Amino acid sequence: GLVLRLVHHADRPVRVTIAGLRLSPVATRRTCWTFNDGAGGWRADHDLEPLRARDGALICAPTGTDPYLSTALMDVAAAEFVTVSIRCRQRGPAAGAAGSLQIFWATQEGGFAPERSATAPILAGAGWRDVSIEVGRSPSWRGILTALRIDPPTHGLEIAKVRLVPGSPDRR
């Protein structure tokens, strides 16, 4: 945390400017996000323009080769959910090519890491797709989730909905 203690004996107000401070999103118990009224707690973490919602979709416009966005979670038990469903469409001239979407999760046991991730293909074309990522099959999908991260294709993505789908996993 940040603590400032200011002592000023003049009769003038004191102005303090803090630059470069990165605020974390507020953790939420949500398990479904739509984007009619903004980013819904999601933030652009790396190689993305600032997130904005347009026509009910979150616009993920990459600025580099490793784009990702995330949201903080609170009191979400991984065992209650088997799939992360993302309604999305690819952006830009490369939308005609197949791509992939990777999801990472953080838990009370550890942050984002390859062992806490899963990938699913996105079919070629610029139309809306429902991409299901079967996270419940991963042995590391357990405990209390503290954050989700989406790594979109490098040519960009529009996201209309992100949902944790409840169910009973078949962990093979």
Side-chain angles (χ1 to χ4, degrees), residues 1-2 4 47 51 65 69-70 72 80 90 109 115-116 134-135 147 156 172:
L2 174 67
L4 293 176
D47 282 351
L51 297 176
T65 59
L69 59 148
S70 70
E80 295 177 25
Q90 299 190 72
E109 297 174 14
E115 62 271 15
R116 284 183 293 281
E134 295 184 13
V135 292
R172 296 178 190 178

Side-chain angles (χ1 to χ4, degrees), residues 142-163:
R142 65 176 189 270
I144 301 299
L145 301 172
T146 59
L148 288 178
R149 176 178 133 183
I150 297 173
D151 288 28
T154 56
H155 51 271
L157 197 67
E158 293 182 28
I159 301 173
K161 186 175 188 177
V162 177
R163 184 169 73 100

Side-chain angles (χ1 to χ4, degrees), residues 1 3 17 34 75-76 79 95 101 106 112-113 116 134 142 148 166 168:
V3 177
T17 303
T34 56
D75 295 329
V76 177
L101 188 63
F112 300 129
R116 284 183 293 281
E134 295 184 13
R142 65 176 189 270
L148 288 178
S168 177

Side-chain angles (χ1 to χ4, degrees), residues 30 32-43 50-60 69 71 159-162:
R30 290 174 69 176
C32 184
W33 296 263
T34 56
F35 304 102
N36 293 313
D37 297 315
W42 289 84
R43 70 176 188 194
L51 297 176
R52 66 188 190 286
R54 185 180 68 216
D55 299 327
L58 190 63
I59 309 301
C60 304
L69 59 148
T71 191
I159 301 173
K161 186 175 188 177
V162 177

